[in-house]
Amino acid sequence: MRPVLLAAALVGGLLGAPAQAPAAEAVCFLSCDRLDPSRAGQETFPVPEKNLNGRRLVLHVSDADGMAWGSIDDGVRGDAVWLDRSWDGGRTWEGLLGKAAIPDTWTGTRTLMYNISDPGGHRRGLIRACGDAAGVGCTDWVYPVVCDVRCDHTDAGQAIGDVRPVPPATLAGRSISLHTDANGMAWAGIEAGGPGDEVWLDRSWNEGASWPDGSSLGRITVSGTGARTAMFATRDPRARLYGGAVRACGRASSGQNGACTAWARPSPTRAGAAADALMYSYSPHPGWWPSSWWNTAATLTTVIELGDRSHDWVIGRTFEQNKGVFPAGGRSSDPIEGNFVSRAIDDSAWWGLAWVAAYDRTGESRYLTMATTIADYVHGYWDTGTCGGGVWWDRERTYKNAVTAGLYLRLAAAVHNRTPGDTVWRGRARTAADWYLRSGLINGASLVNDGLTRDCRNNGQTVWTYNQGLAIGGFLEAWRATGDGALLDTARRLADAAVTGLTRDGVLTESCDVGTRTCDDNQKQFKGIFSRYLADLARVTGGYAGFAARQAESIWSRDRDPLNRIGQRWAGGSPNQLDWRTQASGLGALIAAR
């Protein structure tokens, strides 16, 4: 028997549980497995230490890092310590992780650090410290119970509300139903059953593809005609796993037949539920939503605006992992040259606005400093030699368009509004607003076309919702910077035009939402950006609440599946596209309607 299997078998025999020891693949979350404990962000001891023949076996945990390490003390040469990690609730495990033996003249040693869970791979793990010192023993598994607002095994009588997110399953006259409450807890129930029937809950962290650590939760046997399980959490903020999917299952007393409902994510609030589904696609080790660069900036801004403290770690993570240099293909088709800039001037400006939002959320100066750095870079492409002003869309100076104009206006004004004593950015915002108004980008219907021709005329190209939204947001922020009421009036005029001119039956509609057309990866996110800036205007004017409510209601009732995933067509219909970009866009509308 190989040494790894032998050790696992010894521990399994000692603890009375079967085990297997597949080769462990490195897990990377905030850091990769095998990090030195000297780099731990904290040190806690959530499980009791183990006395192993007079030795102290200790599990050390850093929730800040999502990692753990083991140590053995009061030992002798040759005593060993390692970690076990399980992905199925402790039934099986990867053994001997980081195994270390006490060397000569020492009385103790420790392992390296390993990740407890794998949020990027949508796996919830357990970990424990084990040792061999004249016998094999282990500490308890850490965090076997999932806790959010409430913890696993809470009595369903304590539920705050009762929502049945999917139709019940039927089985030989029985009705098996899934229930969720306002805290995101879930339980299963069976009705019209009989003695000996069973009911339970399954929980999955990968949208129902598998459920190795969440099978048969709360399984109970019916003594009368109905029963319900205890409640189980569907979010694990400690493990950075959000929006776990659940289903209710049951078995009739006669035979081995069974049935389950569809999988669903609870939805305590609309925006919160949409955000949980969005976070499923965040890749925490590289710190972005693969694989779109500017879309990640816009998506991060939306997550920041949600204001959920459990997601605040994403702000710093995205900043630190992406502020460096990346070759072409690493983050974008263009090289990223550091400080979030590239040849795409509009892409850079999206990141500038993201860091403005991060500064507003956290008050950390590093974000405003970065936003200002990016704004300086964008300003370098302001050019009065063509069309009397405006910022070029790209470094090659091929196009002056609405997206770059709107981004620069909003960013310049935002930097001024957050920089005490500034006059430079105020002047730039004033100049940018004046230029935008006379540029011709706004057509006779007060809608914003895509850009200008080489001879500086409105090119008549598509009115995209995000260009309209950026213009609204830009003039609004410029009003804050200058106090000029005419700029606020312009923002209102553009918003009023959009409410009638960019909707169908009251629902915001992109031109690529119509008929058999589909939207590209950029266009998928446009409507949510419009919603962001209309909401900002609404906070100032007190208007547009009815419009925002219509968008949210249509999304929730016509463009959402049981996992709270939101598609491109807010009014429903097909062909409908669905990915994290459409999710971020829909989330923007739900935030606007709060």
Side-chain angles (χ1 to χ4, degrees), residues 495-550:
D496 292 343
V499 165
T500 57
L502 298 180
T503 59
R504 290 194 173 195
D505 298 324
V507 178
L508 197 63
T509 304
E510 210 70 68
S511 59
C512 54
D513 295 344
V514 179
T516 60
R517 297 186 64 187
T518 57
C519 300
D520 68 25
D521 284 348
N522 294 321
Q523 297 156 4
K524 290 173 181 175
Q525 209 157 353
F526 287 177
K527 297 197 295 285
I529 292 164
F530 172 87
S531 299
R532 172 185 306 150
Y533 295 116
L534 186 69
D536 192 14
L537 179 63
R539 286 189 288 270
V540 171
T541 64
Y544 310 105
F547 177 83
R550 279 195 300 276

Side-chain angles (χ1 to χ4, degrees), residues 122-465:
H122 312 297
R123 298 185 294 173
R124 184 176 189 274
L126 303 179
I127 211 162
R128 65 184 178 185
C130 296
D132 186 352
V136 175
C138 297
T139 67
D140 293 337
W141 294 104
V142 73
Y143 306 140
V145 174
V146 180
C147 288
D148 186 15
V149 178
R150 294 183 182 272
C151 294
D152 287 350
H153 307 290
T154 298
D155 187 274
Q158 299 184 46
I160 308 300
D162 184 352
V163 174
R164 301 189 183 194
V166 291
T170 57
L171 174 65
R174 285 88 163 160
S175 178
I176 301 162
S177 54
L178 175 65
H179 304 253
T180 65
D181 83 340
N183 286 323
M185 302 295 287
W187 68 99
I190 188 169
E191 299 171 358
D197 290 351
E198 293 180 314
V199 63
W200 65 89
L201 197 72
D202 287 340
R203 177 173 60 200
S204 171
W205 301 108
N206 59 2
E207 298 187 329
S210 64
W211 49 103
D213 68 326
S215 179
S216 296
L217 299 178
R219 188 170 188 142
I220 58 173
T221 300
V222 179
S223 59
T225 60
R228 65 186 182 190
T229 68
M231 296 195 297
F232 290 80
T234 59
R235 302 174 82 248
D236 186 354
R238 177 185 282 119
R240 278 77 157 189
L241 290 165
Y242 309 100
V246 286
R247 67 179 182 182
C249 297
R251 187 186 68 82
S253 57
S254 56
Q256 297 299 313
N257 52 323
C260 296
T261 67
W263 292 97
R265 282 190 178 106
S267 48
T269 66
R270 290 179 175 182
D276 285 344
L278 175 62
M279 286 305 302
Y280 183 85
S281 297
Y282 183 74
S283 186
H285 191 247
W288 73 321
W289 280 268
S291 51
S292 291
W293 180 239
W294 83 264
N295 298 80
T296 288
T299 297
L300 177 65
T301 307
T302 303
V303 171
I304 292 169
E305 290 175 339
L306 176 67
D308 185 337
R309 287 182 298 174
S310 68
H311 299 325
D312 280 354
W313 67 275
V314 175
I315 304 172
R317 182 66 181 176
T318 306
F319 183 84
E320 292 298 330
Q321 293 299 101
N322 292 281
K323 66 183 180 181
V325 175
F326 299 91
R331 287 293 187 271
S332 167
S333 57
D334 299 319
I336 306 302
E337 300 163 3
N339 292 329
F340 301 92
V341 304
S342 69
R343 59 167 288 280
I345 312 305
D346 58 333
D347 285 8
S348 306
W350 284 115
W351 283 104
L353 291 180
W355 302 128
V356 168
Y359 174 73
D360 290 347
R361 173 71 179 160
T362 67
E364 294 183 28
S365 60
R366 59 175 173 162
Y367 298 128
L368 182 57
T369 298
M370 182 61 75
T372 305
T373 298
I374 295 169
D376 278 325
Y377 172 74
V378 174
H379 177 73
Y381 290 88
W382 178 273
D383 181 9
T384 58
T386 301
C387 304
V391 174
W392 289 104
W393 173 61
D394 56 7
R395 188 175 287 166
E396 293 76 18
R397 301 178 181 238
T398 63
Y399 192 27
K400 287 192 174 178
N401 62 355
V403 61
T404 317
L407 285 163
Y408 177 70
L409 176 57
R410 178 78 182 193
L411 182 56
V415 168
H416 164 74
N417 290 334
R418 291 156 180 81
T419 306
D422 168 74
T423 57
V424 171
W425 285 106
R426 182 183 184 277
R428 290 172 176 174
R430 174 81 262 182
T431 299
D434 291 343
W435 178 85
Y436 200 125
L437 286 170
R438 67 173 185 270
S439 67
L441 287 168
I442 304 171
N443 65 29
S446 294
L447 298 175
V448 178
N449 292 102
D450 191 68
L452 302 176
T453 62
R454 293 296 291 183
D455 59 353
C456 303
R457 292 179 292 108
N458 184 310
N459 62 17
Q461 292 182 17
T462 304
V463 177
W464 298 109
T465 58

